[in-house]
Amino acid sequence: MKILLAVFQLEKQSGKERDCIAIARHLASRGHDVTIVTTIPSPEPLDRITVVQVKARGLTNHRRARNFARAVREHRRTHQPDALLSFELVPGADFHYVADDAAILRDRLWAWPPRQRIRLALERGVFAAASRTELWFLTQDQHDAYHIAYDFDPARAHVLPADPKKLLATVATRLEQHIPAA
């Protein structure tokens, strides 16, 4: 199975970057063809994993995030993986690993400059009821907060196990059960 993972950068390796690499390694060890799309690759070698560096230009973080989502969608269109797991806000992804808090609950509704408007547009594209993206939450509280904000179909959402081995097994199983849209 060809699986595409998308994370903005792999250089600093905080939580979601480490999780992305762990999931990629686990999937590769199960025989999958794994590609990570990123703007900055990992300084450490990633055996049996293809890393594709894309450009996500912009003078601000929110414009780079929007352009990264566009680059990921374009890579998906041209390479046609069986599944796309995004660790960033990429509308249209098959799966989204939720690592951040909901911007709509955090930001003041009366003061949305372009930074918040772009982030909210990306967030809506992933979480809104019309989206088909399967959502993977790290905690029940995180799930509940997003559900309050976006009222998505509960069947789309899963809270991942806290145990790292169980998390990897759950992610692999969900991806392997995925049937790509025609």
Side-chain angles (χ1 to χ4, degrees):
M1 187 172 189
K2 285 174 52 175
I3 301 173
L4 180 63
L5 281 67
V7 65
F8 190 77
Q9 64 86 27
L10 288 172
E11 183 180 46
K12 72 175 179 166
Q13 293 194 15
S14 60
K16 69 181 169 184
E17 292 83 11
R18 281 191 305 271
D19 290 350
C20 178
I21 290 171
I23 290 168
R25 285 183 170 144
H26 183 72
L27 293 168
S29 75
R30 292 171 69 106
H32 297 293
D33 178 7
V34 179
T35 300
I36 300 175
V37 174
T38 187
T39 60
I40 304 172
S42 172
E44 65 183 83
L46 300 174
D47 297 336
R48 297 180 289 160
I49 299 165
T50 303
V51 177
V52 174
Q53 187 172 359
V54 296
K55 301 232 184 279
R57 296 193 175 154
L59 296 176
T60 59
N61 287 340
H62 58 281
R63 294 200 191 283
R64 285 189 289 274
R66 181 188 61 196
N67 292 336
F68 178 71
R70 289 176 179 165
V72 170
R73 288 192 305 265
E74 177 61 21
H75 185 86
R76 179 186 198 176
R77 188 186 66 73
T78 58
H79 292 85
Q80 300 184 349
D82 298 311
L84 167 56
L85 166 57
S86 181
F87 292 75
E88 308 296 343
L89 294 171
V90 178
D94 299 306
F95 304 92
H96 178 63
Y97 187 95
V98 184
D100 299 314
D101 293 332
I104 197 165
L105 298 176
R106 188 177 59 229
D107 298 328
R108 295 185 314 263
L109 298 176
W110 61 88
W112 283 351
R115 175 173 55 98
Q116 280 92 353
R117 286 194 306 268
I118 290 172
R119 164 116 174 121
L120 289 170
L122 291 170
E123 193 172 271
R124 278 188 210 104
V126 173
F127 292 96
S131 174
R132 296 179 54 204
T133 301
E134 186 171 305
L135 307 167
W136 295 347
F137 294 96
L138 299 177
T139 68
Q140 186 64 47
D141 287 345
Q142 186 186 44
H143 167 280
D144 295 347
Y146 273 98
H147 192 261
I148 288 167
Y150 288 103
D151 195 30
F152 48 76
D153 178 2
R156 287 179 46 213
H158 306 277
V159 177
L160 296 172
D163 177 82
K165 288 182 183 178
K166 289 180 182 176
L167 182 144
L168 292 174
T170 300
V171 166
T173 300
R174 298 295 307 164
L175 284 164
E176 289 165 353
Q177 292 173 347
H178 176 67
I179 299 170

